[in-house]
Amino acid sequence: MESISEIHIKKSKFQILLILALSLVTLILAITSMGVGSSENLGFFSTFKIVLGIDQSNDIQSSIIWRIRLPRVIIAIVGGAALATAGALMQGSLGNPLVSPLTLGVASGAALGAALGIIIGFSISEPIGIIIDFLWNLILNIIIYPVNMISMAIFSVALDIPPIPFTGAETVIITNAFIFSLFVVFLIIKLGNYRSVSAESYILVGIAITFICGAIVSTMTYFASDSQLSQLTHWSFGSLARTSLIQSISISIIIILLMPNAMKWAWDLNSLSLGGDDFAISTGVDPIVTRKKILILSAFMTSIIISFTGLIGFLGLAAPHMSRLIVGNDYRKLIPCSAVFGSLLMLFADTLGRTLFAPIVIPVGIMLSIIGGPFFMYLLLQKRRKY
Amino acid sequence: MNNYKNYAQNYSIIDNDELLSVENLHFSWGENKVLNGINFTIPKNELVAVLGINGAGKSTMLKCVNRILKPEKGFIKLLNKDINDLNLVELAKNISYVPQSVLTQFSMDVFDVVLLGRRPHINWRVSENDREIVSNTLKFLKLEDFAFRSFNKLSGGERQRVIIAKAVAQDSKLLLMDEPTSDLDLKNQIVVMKNIKKLIREGKDKSAIIAIHDINIAARFADRILLLHQNELIGEGTPEEVLNEENIATVYGVSCVVEKRTEYESMRIIIKDEIKQKNKRKEEEE
Ligand SMILES: Nc1ncnc2c1ncn2[C@@H]1O[C@H](COP(=O)(O)OP(=O)(O)O)[C@@H](O)[C@H]1O
Ligand SMILES: [Mg+2]
C-alpha cells in the first residue's frame, strides 16, 4: 500500500501536470489567436509564414501582425494572469470568496480618472508631462533595444516600433486612469497602517470608494456630450485593442517581476484563508501585515492592467474560483493555476469576440461576462450537486 | 523526581524547569475587565488544565500567551524570554495553538491543513521530513483515513482532531488548547487526552495548557489545575488540591461529592445539583 506521503506527492504532481496542460492549451490558443482576425489581407497560414520568415510581408500585413495582433495577444495573456492572480490573492487575504479585484475600489478610481480625461479634458500628466515623457522614452529605449536585438538575431528584421509620446491624446486617459487608481492604492496603504483594520473594513472602505467615485462620474456624465459619453462607455467595456506593442511589453515586464512576489505569499495565504487571523498567528503569520502587503500588491497589479484595458471585473472573480475547482485551495498551486487560467479565459474571450461577428469586434469585457457568467454558474451548480 | 521538582519550585533554585511564566497579567475588552493580575508558571513536562465558567477568560488568557491578544499589563515569558521579543515565526516554533473552532470558506485536504503546522519550520519547499511528520501525526491521532478528505466536509469533532493534529505536527514546546474535546464523542475525548498526555510524557520538555469544561477529564489527566474565577486565579495545584467541594461550589455554583483517588481509579467528582442559596440571597437584596 502507498504511504500517505506518497499519495500526497502523487496528488501534488498530478495538479502540477494539470497546470502545465492548461499552459500548453493557452500557448496553442495564443498561436492560433495570432492567425485569426477580421482582416482579409491576412489568412491563418500566411500569418505564420510571415512570422517564421518564410514569406515576405507587405506593410499592411506586418502592421496587422506587429501593431494589432501581437500586442493584443500579449495583453490578453498578461492581463488575464494579473487580474486572476490579484483576485485569488484578494479572496484569500480577505477570507471572502465574493471578493474580486474591483472590490477595493481600484477600478472605480481608474474610471474616475478616465472620465476626467474624456469629459473635462483634464490630464493629470500634463504638468509633469515632460518628466513622464522623458522617463517613458528612456524605458522605451531600454526595452526596444534588446527586443530588436533578439528580433534581428532570430528573424533578421528589426521591429518597426515608433516611440510613442506618453502625453499624447490617446494616452491621457490611460495615464489618468493609472494615477487615479494608484491614488486608491495609496488610500489602501494608509488604511492598512491602522493596526485595528480588519478584513471587513477593507471591503467596506472599498465599497465606499466605489460609491464615491461612481457618484462623481455620474455627475460628470450629466454634463457630457454624446460623443464623450460613448467614449466613456467604450472605455468601461474593457477592451484589449487600446494597448500598443511597447505598452504591452512594458506591462508584461512589470507583471512578470511581480509574479514571484505573489508566490512568496502562498503559505501565509494558506494559513490566513483556512483559519482566519488567530489561526494565522499560531502558525507564525502576522495577519495584519500580511494582508496589507498582499492587498497592495494585488491592487497595484489590478491598477496597471485596468488602466490600459478598462473595466474587466468578472475575470478576477471567476478565474480563481474555476482554478479552485481544478487544484483546490492550496495557494502554492492556486496562484499559478489562476494565472494560467486567467490568461486562457481572456485569450479565449478576446479571440471569440474578434472572430464571432467579424468584422464587428465585441469588447473582451462583454465577452467574458456573456460566456464566462453562465459557464461559471454551471460549474458551481455542478459542484453543489456532486456532494 | 516529583519531590525534586517541588523542591526546586519552592526554593526557585533551578529556573531551568520553567517553560512559561505569566506575571501580573491584565486584560480588558473595553470596559469589561477579564483578567485581573494573573500569575502562574508552567513547568516543563506538565499537562495543565484551566477551569472556569463560560466567560471566565480562559480563551482570553490562552490568546494572550500566544500573542493573539495584547495584554494591558504584565509579562509573559517563555523559557525566560519575553514573548514580545520573539518574532511570530520563532513564537510559532515554540507555541502551538488549537482554537475553539475553525470553520473556513476555503477548505483544504486534511493533509494540507496539518502541513500548515510545519509552516513556521519551512521556507517554501516541503521537505520529505515534513511530510513524514505530518503522516506520522495523522497516524498518531488515527486520522489516516481522513488524510485526503476536505476539511470542511468533516464533522465538528473530526475537524477538531485535525486542528489538534496540526498543533502536534508543529512540534512546539508549549501546546495551548482551547476546549479541544468540546465536540468529541466519549471515546475520542479519552483517546485524544491520552494522546496529548503521551505526547507530554514522551516529548522533550513539552507542556500543554488546556482550557476544558469537563472537570473529571481534567482531574484524570491534568498534572495541575488553574482555576479561574471572577477575573482571578483562585486555585492552582494538583487536582486533589484544587478540585474540592468548596472550590467547585464557588466557581460553578453546584454541589458535588468528591471521591478520592484510589489505586485503580483517578479521583472523581459527582455533580449533585445547582446551589440555590446564592440566588435567593440576591432576590432578597433586590
Ligand atoms: N472579541 C471580544 N470582544 C469583546 N468582549 C469579548 C470578546 N471575546 C470575549 N469577550 C468577553 O471576555 C470575557 C471572557 O471571554 P472568554 O475568554 O472567551 O471566556 P471563556 O473562554 O472562559 O469562556 C467574556 O465576558 C466575553 O464576553
Ligand atoms: Mg472560551
Side-chain angles (χ1 to χ4, degrees), chain A residues 208-247:
Chain A
I209 292 173
T210 307
F211 272 111
I212 295 166
C213 293
I216 300 173
V217 172
S218 302
T219 315
M220 280 193 291
T221 54
Y222 193 74
F223 299 103
S225 70
D226 282 354
S227 77
Q228 287 170 336
L229 272 184
S230 121
Q231 208 186 340
L232 186 63
T233 313
H234 272 276
W235 184 84
S236 53
F237 279 160
S239 157
L240 305 180
R242 288 187 285 262
T243 6
S244 67
L245 184 58
I246 287 305
Q247 287 169 338

Side-chain angles (χ1 to χ4, degrees), chain A residues 8 11 267-268 274 282 329, chain B residues 104 107 109 112 119 124 170:
Chain A
H8 187 251
K11 202 167 172 182
W267 276 103
D268 298 14
L274 183 91
S282 82
N329 292 321
Chain B
T104 171
S107 183
D109 278 359
D112 291 314
R119 157 72 179 64
W124 204 87
Q170 205 162 331

Side-chain angles (χ1 to χ4, degrees), chain B residues 29 32 34 53-61 100 178-179:
Chain B
W29 284 108
N32 179 10
V34 179
I53 56 166
N54 295 132
K58 304 181 293 296
S59 303
T60 306
M61 193 178 88
Q100 223 159 335
D178 201 345
E179 302 186 21

Side-chain angles (χ1 to χ4, degrees), chain A residues 354-374:
Chain A
R354 274 188 308 133
T355 50
L356 207 54
F357 301 110
I360 297 170
V361 175
I362 304 170
V364 68
I366 293 176
M367 272 324 268
L368 275 169
S369 303
I370 289 177
I371 343 166

Side-chain angles (χ1 to χ4, degrees), chain A residues 4-5 7-9 11 91 97 263 267-268 270 273-274 278-279 281-286 324 329 332, chain B residues 63 66 68 88-89 92 97 104 106-109 111-112 119-120 122 124 126 131-132 135 148 166 170:
Chain A
I4 301 173
S5 291
I7 300 175
H8 187 251
I9 293 172
K11 202 167 172 182
Q91 286 168 2
M263 282 304 277
W267 276 103
D268 298 14
N270 282 350
S273 68
L274 183 91
D278 294 358
F279 184 84
I281 291 176
S282 82
T283 57
V285 177
D286 185 338
R324 287 177 200 281
N329 292 321
R332 285 173 302 152
Chain B
K63 285 182 188 175
N66 199 23
I68 291 169
L88 277 180
V89 172
Y97 168 70
T104 171
F106 302 113
S107 183
M108 282 196 260
D109 278 359
F111 191 101
D112 291 314
R119 157 72 179 64
I122 51 186
W124 204 87
V126 180
R131 279 205 184 82
E132 263 331 286
S135 48
F148 297 101
K166 170 253 156 200
Q170 205 162 331

